Amino acid sequence: MKLFLDTADVAVIRELAETGLVDGVTTNPSLIAKSGRNIAEVIAEICACVEGPVSAEVTATDLEGMISEGRHLAGIAGNVLVKLPLTWDGLKAARRFSQDGIGTNVTLCFSAAQALLAAKAGASFISPFVGRLDDHGADGLSLIEEIRDLYDQHGFETEVLAASLRTPAHVTGAALAGADAATLPPDIFRSLVKHPLTDRGLDQFLSDWRATGQTIL
Ligand code: G3P
């Protein structure tokens, strides 16, 4: 499963990309606003940090506006994916970009019916929002499972990108539910490696090793 970072913080992306485990980045208008920077500059810098797809979201709500903004964003770098909201105009734009060979990420997906439409529109990725569904009293991870089954039964190639993940259990749950990719806030990405027994075990190994007086080299 691909792991993406869900942030527009270039310094953090640069640091975490050094792990070699970051396959791409997703942004949204709220994350760009949080960065306090110009969208074109931030997206260009992010695209230089990672080889994989970098989602940059349009803010127009009408078809022609989405097409113009999407083309502009796609022109920033070869690995930009145009992120579009799950509305009729967003779906029409996804279809148009797919015909033009431009990758898309259809976002704000909260139902399997929406995911079906995005796949039919030729979206490269669909982004179901797990955490926001949980906030709403539903089960976000079940939606990932449902979309996986639906896409597999009908041979859709759209990749399932689990978004709005808030805990490590969301990440592994999305992986087990068959998501192709997951996008993680940096703190969740960092927390994936942590386990108290790993730290305790390593301390014990090193103290036993020191007692031998040996060195490997
Ligand atoms: O990029 C979209 C998504 O991951 C948002 O997450 O935590 O704001 O629901 P959140």
Side-chain angles (χ1 to χ4, degrees):
M1 186 176 70
K2 295 168 195 157
L3 292 181
F4 296 166
L5 289 176
D6 196 27
T7 179
D9 185 328
V10 180
V12 167
I13 293 167
R14 211 169 271 138
E15 173 208 324
L16 295 178
E18 280 174 19
T19 61
L21 303 178
V22 175
D23 301 300
V25 173
T26 54
T27 66
N28 61 39
S30 304
L31 293 171
I32 298 288
K34 194 173 159 198
S35 78
R37 301 190 50 205
N38 171 274
I39 183 167
E41 285 172 20
V42 180
I43 297 296
E45 286 178 30
I46 297 174
C47 287
C49 298
V50 294
E51 282 177 23
V54 174
S55 293
E57 188 161 343
V58 301
T59 55
T61 54
D62 65 299
L63 176 60
E64 287 316 317
M66 287 180 184
I67 297 292
S68 309
E69 288 186 1
R71 285 202 181 119
H72 180 74
L73 292 169
I76 294 173
N79 52 339
V80 168
L81 275 187
V82 179
K83 202 171 178 189
L84 299 157
L86 218 153
T87 60
W88 286 119
D89 278 352
L91 292 168
K92 286 183 207 163
R95 189 166 157 70
R96 190 94 72 84
F97 284 124
S98 152
Q99 285 163 348
D100 293 348
I102 293 175
T104 56
N105 173 3
V106 174
T107 190
L108 291 166
C109 171
F110 294 95
S111 75
Q114 292 179 319
L116 171 64
L117 293 177
K120 284 186 67 68
S124 316
F125 287 89
I126 181 70
S127 289
F129 276 30
V130 174
R132 290 194 197 184
L133 267 174
D134 287 358
D135 294 345
H136 201 65
D139 178 4
L141 288 173
S142 304
L143 177 61
I144 305 287
E145 246 173 82
E146 216 179 323
I147 298 173
R148 174 78 283 146
D149 282 355
L150 191 156
Y151 282 6
D152 288 349
Q153 276 189 44
H154 295 277
F156 287 121
E157 286 177 8
T158 300
E159 293 188 62
V160 181
L161 166 50
S164 184
L165 302 179
R166 310 268 174 75
T167 62
H170 269 160
V171 181
T172 50
L176 289 167
D180 298 289
T183 188
L184 284 59
D187 56 330
I188 302 299
F189 183 88
R190 286 195 179 97
S191 73
L192 291 183
V193 77
K194 289 188 190 143
H195 196 289
L197 293 180
T198 303
D199 297 338
R200 208 187 302 165
L202 185 57
D203 285 349
Q204 181 70 56
F205 286 158
L206 294 181
S207 110
D208 291 346
W209 178 249
R210 271 192 301 275
T212 70
Q214 296 184 54
T215 56
I216 292 177
L217 295 176

